[in-house]
Amino acid sequence: LAPFLKEAGIAPLKPNYPNWESMGLDGHTAGHYLSALSMMYAATRQPELLHRIQYMLAWLDSCQRKNGDGYVGGVPDGKSLWNDIRNGKIDAGSFSLGNRWVPLYNLHKTFAGLRDAYLYAHQTKALDMLVKLTDWFETLTQNLSDDQVQQILATEHGGLNEVFVQVGQLTGNSRYYVLAQRFSHRAILQPLIEGKDILPGLHANTQIPKVIGFKCVADATHNPEWDKAARFFWDLVVGRYTISIGGHGVREHFNPSNDFSSMIESNQGPETCNSYNMLKLTRLLFLSSRQTKYLDYYERTLYNHILSSIHRDSGGFVYFTPIHPCHYRVYSTVNHSFWCCVGTGMENHAKYGEMIYCYTPDTLWVNLFIPSQLSWKEKQVEVQQQTNFPYEPSTSLQIHTQAPIYMTVRIRKPSWINDNYLLVRINREKPQRIPVSGGYADIRRVWKGNDRIQVDLPMKLSYEYLPDSSSWVSLLYGPVVLAAACDTANQTGLWADESRMAHVAYGPLYSVDDQPYILADQKDWLSKIKMVNAQKLTFSLPVRTKDNEDTQILIQPFFDLQATRYTIYFPLLNETQVMQRRREAQEKEKEQLAIRQRTIDEVAPGEQQSEVGHNFKGENTEWGINQNRFWRHAYGWFSYDLSDNHKQARYLALTFYGLDSNRTFDVWLNEVKLATISLMGDKGDSFFVTELEIPKSIRESDSTTYTVKFVPHPGSLAGGVYYIRLMK
Ligand SMILES: [Zn+2]
């Protein structure tokens, strides 16, 4: 609450939380927290949760009243930002608006928290506050042109359009639909309507909430074009970009759909927030279409990404789930970590009850096989689902009715069952094959008193390739992704601290070439996988090691693995591919050896040890990490000393990143200007090396120390510099 109190000019009771709650995204967590409390209260009815909801609302209400204009938010120095926006002063980048870190994304969480406190915990005060906040926003932006609004929407803004539609639905005032349409980002909407894939390179989680909003607008205003856009987006993401666990993205962005090598290489795989949002979109698409493909994705993602993203003992949440073989995940720690995925994480695990059941007038839809209890009050029907699924290949539903009732119970036939029927047993009758139509097996009858339905859910092993069809496979048992635990060594930062990038698993990446692979030459390799323990769903997978030994490794549900290095995707290779891989590895090694032989001295900017060892100096300079590589840049300048004791150096080799753009700076060596470098962002998503010749005057001087200095041109930035080598 502290950020909200501060912004309202009320003395905070406690300081801000650290991490992202003190780094510009102040306040984003409170909205998620309010949503999570409300959902958990709906699921459990625990009075303590209601107490906390009301406590939060009371303080937020005080802030809103104090602000006086309907605004309530934690965006640092928000009022001056909103003033600028009111006056059409818009300075929008992908992740900053008016130099604040995604302020509208932040504010969307407050909107959503208030909405959920009303929807799930029935707090009318929350609806009142939500409407005031929406009215404030509408007034704030009323004089902006549509073009100016679109400029604002270039910055990540969560699902503002989603919330505005819902305010319209909750108040019955269609004026808010207009606001939702106005705050829908056309640069994304239009290509989706046209059926164009513009996703590669885009920040993934920025887009999904916009599409959730498109779908909400489509449903509220019966707009088939916007509906088509939402469906196309879903088909695209799930069909071309999604891996076995249901997640997508590398370093938060969509990778090219025909090349997943960056995902294999990276320590930053799918982000949990994205799957959280995809499930929200999936739910909406299912509800309006009733197509079970949406539920198949929902189930897959729920078990394998969402369920696996919480540490069951500590409650820590996961941000990235890398699929680099034998890498690991970092867990958030209480009161230290305030990432986006902590916010959505709190919500994720409060809503396992969602989507298990749906209903239409005389039909109960059973979508998921999760132990649960349902009260269908209008029908006076109580349903109890008992199962240990997926550890048991069946589920049972006990249907209690007050009086005999004619009704259909529709049971979903998951896509991982190939038959076109479900084997069902009702009470003590003999088992019957119920044909599947529209993805469900329908049981139509008069239910009286206390009936029991037993459903067989036979699971079997299967595998699927990465979407680019490269030779990486993930193994599944039914909907459950199986993975291997590797070891627990060198999991640097496993428990996150408060630093800005603590959510990334920086520990050493193991060489892909060292990992065991599945030999594809035997056609029936899948049948060689044997179940070890049916209760734990463990299997033994025959693999070949890099030393050419045949052995077995244990695979088990990925969601059962925590705080360990793991492998989800295994190389599936035939002998020719194995030879090819070896040759490539040798060539790479030869290249690296040649570079090493030419290198006299080297600096890794941004890496502490390397910088200290080379007399790093600088002003107004920052460092960071991109694609596992450290960099440094400066608005001021920075320099290092390199040594050439035998006076052999001829070149200075500098490594830059191909997408860094609009940066012009000078490179100085011992007070001589070597070159002016302009990074134009035209070299693609990869690194490149520029070699600068060292002038004779410096080579022939007595000095054996070379000071390399990077100085930006006025108004520009020097760097990022990723590597510096002094070379023969
Ligand atoms: Zn996230």
Side-chain angles (χ1 to χ4, degrees):
L1 285 168
F4 295 81
L5 294 163
K6 270 188 208 166
E7 288 306 302
I10 303 172
L13 310 177
K14 293 272 175 74
N16 281 31
Y17 284 118
N19 187 247
W20 293 17
E21 277 289 327
S22 297
M23 292 173 173
L25 208 55
D26 313 21
H28 77 113
T29 308
H32 285 298
Y33 179 62
L34 194 49
S35 292
L37 286 173
S38 306
M39 291 174 198
M40 194 60 120
Y41 177 65
T44 65
R45 298 281 159 199
Q46 281 179 31
E48 170 66 13
L49 296 166
L50 183 61
H51 170 75
R52 288 185 187 209
I53 292 165
Q54 290 169 343
Y55 177 87
M56 291 292 290
L57 288 176
W59 276 111
L60 291 173
D61 184 43
S62 302
C63 294
Q64 194 173 38
R65 282 169 197 279
K66 182 79 192 301
N67 288 331
D69 55 1
Y71 174 60
V72 54
V75 176
D77 192 22
K79 286 178 185 170
S80 73
L81 169 68
W82 308 130
N83 247 333
D84 284 349
I85 287 183
R86 181 180 295 111
N87 297 324
K89 213 177 128 195
I90 296 156
D91 173 17
S94 298
F95 304 110
S96 81
L97 182 65
N99 276 324
R100 313 300 194 290
W101 185 7
V102 291
L104 291 177
Y105 166 94
N106 182 343
L107 199 58
H108 170 242
K109 310 312 161 204
T110 307
F111 276 105
L114 293 171
R115 172 199 64 202
D116 293 338
Y118 176 69
L119 274 184
Y120 298 107
H122 311 302
Q123 300 297 297
T124 45
K125 183 204 279 258
L127 178 60
D128 185 46
M129 293 165 68
L130 174 65
V131 172
K132 279 190 202 156
L133 181 61
T134 311
D135 289 345
W136 163 81
F137 190 82
E138 190 187 33
T139 309
L140 179 82
T141 55
Q142 67 187 358
N143 291 328
L144 299 181
S145 69
D146 287 344
D147 280 352
Q148 285 175 312
V149 168
Q150 293 302 316
Q151 273 175 44
I152 289 175
L153 296 180
T155 308
E156 185 178 14
H157 53 273
L160 279 179
N161 48 354
E162 170 215 27
V163 177
F164 297 152
V165 172
Q166 288 159 340
V167 173
Q169 287 164 329
L170 294 173
T171 58
N173 189 338
S174 60
R175 193 183 94 224
Y176 298 108
Y177 298 163
V178 178
L179 187 64
Q181 283 163 332
R182 197 158 130 84
F183 277 84
S184 288
H185 194 201
R186 306 291 154 148
I188 298 301
L189 174 65
Q190 199 50 41
L192 291 178
I193 290 176
E194 289 164 17
K196 287 187 191 146
D197 180 0
I198 50 147
L199 300 184
L202 290 185
H203 185 257
N205 197 45
T206 297
Q207 316 311 329
I208 310 163
K210 295 178 193 171
V211 180
I212 294 172
F214 301 159
K215 174 62 180 157
C216 289
V217 171
D219 287 350
T221 64
H222 309 288
N223 185 328
E225 292 249 283
W226 291 40
D227 186 70
K228 190 175 128 197
R231 288 180 194 285
F232 176 70
F233 177 83
W234 189 94
D235 286 340
L236 204 55
V237 173
V238 173
R240 293 199 202 157
Y241 294 91
T242 297
I243 64 163
S244 63
I245 60 166
H248 63 260
V250 185
R251 301 182 300 273
E252 304 192 2
H253 292 68
F254 286 110
N255 54 291
S257 62
N258 60 359
D259 182 6
F260 276 65
S261 57
S262 58
M263 197 187 284
I264 289 287
E265 283 159 21
S266 180
N267 60 6
Q268 300 178 31
E271 176 187 347
T272 311
C273 283
N274 301 38
S275 288
Y276 156 92
N277 275 315
M278 280 303 289
L279 290 191
K280 286 176 78 163
L281 178 62
T282 302
R283 174 176 171 273
L284 293 173
L285 292 172
F286 170 73
L287 291 178
S288 66
S289 73
R290 304 177 185 180
Q291 284 180 271
T292 49
K293 70 174 183 183
Y294 295 114
L295 295 174
D296 286 319
Y297 170 79
Y298 196 99
E299 179 184 65
R300 176 76 78 85
T301 308
L302 191 68
Y303 280 96
N304 300 295
H305 198 184
I306 300 297
L307 179 59
S308 76
S309 68
I310 185 167
H311 189 277
R312 288 191 293 271
D313 306 318
S314 75
F317 299 119
V318 163
Y319 196 116
F320 292 120
T321 296
I323 59 161
H324 183 92
C326 270
H327 207 59
Y328 66 99
R329 322 200 280 177
V330 166
Y331 296 92
S332 67
T333 54
V334 176
N335 291 354
H336 300 287
S337 314
F338 291 88
W339 326 317
C340 49
C341 291
V342 169
T344 55
M346 290 190 287
E347 295 184 37
N348 278 334
H349 307 282
K351 56 174 186 176
Y352 285 111
E354 194 173 72
M355 292 302 281
I356 303 175
Y357 307 102
C358 291
Y359 70 91
T360 44
D362 290 304
T363 305
L364 174 68
W365 303 56
V366 182
N367 297 324
L368 298 172
F369 313 115
I370 296 178
S372 49
Q373 200 167 323
L374 171 76
S375 296
W376 190 0
K377 295 205 178 79
E378 297 88 331
K379 295 269 169 199
Q380 296 191 306
V381 171
E382 299 269 330
V383 179
Q384 200 157 18
Q385 184 172 182
Q386 287 177 319
T387 179
N388 199 22
F389 179 85
Y391 296 106
E392 129 184 75
S394 66
T395 189
S396 92
L397 296 150
Q398 199 88 36
I399 316 247
H400 308 276
T401 60
Q402 292 283 342
I405 179 171
Y406 182 76
M407 141 181 117
T408 304
V409 176
R410 309 197 80 188
I411 298 170
R412 168 178 154 256
K413 199 268 310 174
S415 62
W416 40 266
I417 295 179
N418 286 337
D419 310 320
N420 54 3
Y421 62 85
L422 281 181
L423 194 66
V424 172
R425 188 176 172 182
I426 300 167
N427 298 327
R428 287 163 188 240
E429 297 165 15
K430 76 175 202 288
Q432 44 178 316
R433 291 175 169 196
I434 304 205
V436 171
S437 105
Y440 288 86
D442 289 0
I443 308 169
R444 245 177 236 114
R445 63 190 273 155
V446 177
W447 305 90
K448 4 179 180 182
N450 221 348
D451 293 305
R452 185 168 180 267
I453 310 173
Q454 174 81 28
V455 186
D456 275 10
L457 300 166
M459 287 182 274
K460 59 181 190 344
L461 281 166
S462 65
Y463 68 97
E464 58 187 44
Y465 286 96
L466 278 174
D468 66 355
S469 304
S470 56
S471 39
W472 292 89
V473 293
S474 173
L475 292 148
L476 293 111
Y477 188 65
V480 177
V481 170
L482 302 170
C486 298
D487 61 45
T488 55
N490 296 314
Q491 297 184 86
T492 314
L494 176 66
W495 303 103
D497 63 19
E498 296 175 0
S499 57
R500 167 74 181 81
M501 296 298 285
H503 54 285
V504 178
Y506 286 127
L509 287 157
Y510 292 1
S511 162
V512 168
D513 297 323
D514 289 349
Q515 301 310 313
Y517 56 91
I518 304 170
L519 199 58
D521 288 344
Q522 302 148 301
K523 279 195 192 69
D524 52 348
W525 64 270
L526 195 64
S527 68
K528 302 250 162 57
I529 302 172
K530 297 286 176 249
M531 186 177 257
V532 176
N533 184 327
Q535 273 83 50
K536 293 185 172 167
L537 295 187
T538 54
F539 299 82
S540 82
L541 169 70
V543 291
R544 184 164 285 183
T545 68
K546 63 166 178 151
D547 301 321
N548 248 344
E549 278 168 25
D550 289 322
T551 182
Q552 311 266 331
I553 55 176
L554 193 77
I555 51 175
Q556 57 189 306
F558 177 56
F559 57 69
D560 274 338
L561 294 177
Q562 31 185 26
T564 178
R565 287 178 178 263
Y566 58 83
T567 297
I568 297 176
Y569 276 88
F570 298 89
L572 176 65
L573 304 171
N574 58 36
E575 295 283 12
T576 322
Q577 288 168 315
V578 173
M579 298 300 285
Q580 173 75 12
R581 258 166 69 116
R582 272 197 203 127
R583 266 198 306 275
E584 280 167 12
Q586 280 164 357
E587 260 159 43
K588 211 156 96 188
E589 207 166 289
K590 232 195 257 171
E591 262 173 46
Q592 280 165 352
L593 188 69
I595 293 171
R596 270 202 301 278
Q597 282 170 343
R598 280 184 63 205
T599 302
I600 297 164
D601 198 1
E602 61 202 308
V603 190
E607 281 187 43
Q608 194 189 349
Q609 291 306 324
S610 181
E611 290 198 325
V612 171
H614 292 88
N615 193 28
F616 160 70
K617 289 180 187 161
E619 275 175 24
N620 203 357
T621 170
E622 296 168 335
W623 65 273
I625 293 170
N626 173 19
Q627 306 190 26
N628 317 323
R629 300 178 68 152
F630 287 82
W631 52 259
R632 181 173 286 285
H633 68 209
Y635 297 94
W637 58 272
F638 62 104
S639 73
Y640 303 98
D641 290 347
L642 293 116
S643 301
D644 180 19
N645 294 332
H646 304 291
K647 295 296 283 180
Q648 293 173 300
R650 293 290 301 265
Y651 299 94
L652 185 72
L654 304 172
T655 304
F656 303 111
Y657 176 51
L659 293 181
D660 277 345
S661 61
N662 296 324
R663 297 153 185 228
T664 304
F665 53 94
D666 295 330
V667 182
W668 293 77
L669 197 67
N670 287 3
E671 308 297 323
V672 176
K673 185 157 80 169
L674 272 194
T676 297
I677 307 268
S678 282
L679 300 179
M680 307 308 289
D682 53 359
K683 294 217 161 52
D685 182 16
S686 61
F687 298 93
F688 66 95
V689 177
T690 298
E691 288 199 12
L692 305 173
E693 197 170 352
I694 299 171
K696 223 170 165 190
S697 62
I698 297 180
R699 281 190 277 132
E700 289 176 354
S701 72
D702 293 338
S703 172
T704 56
T705 298
Y706 293 149
T707 301
V708 56
K709 185 173 175 183
F710 301 89
V711 186
H713 283 196
S716 194
L717 189 61
V721 181
Y722 284 77
Y723 217 81
I724 304 168
R725 286 176 194 273
L726 201 56
M727 302 186 82
K728 289 179 193 167

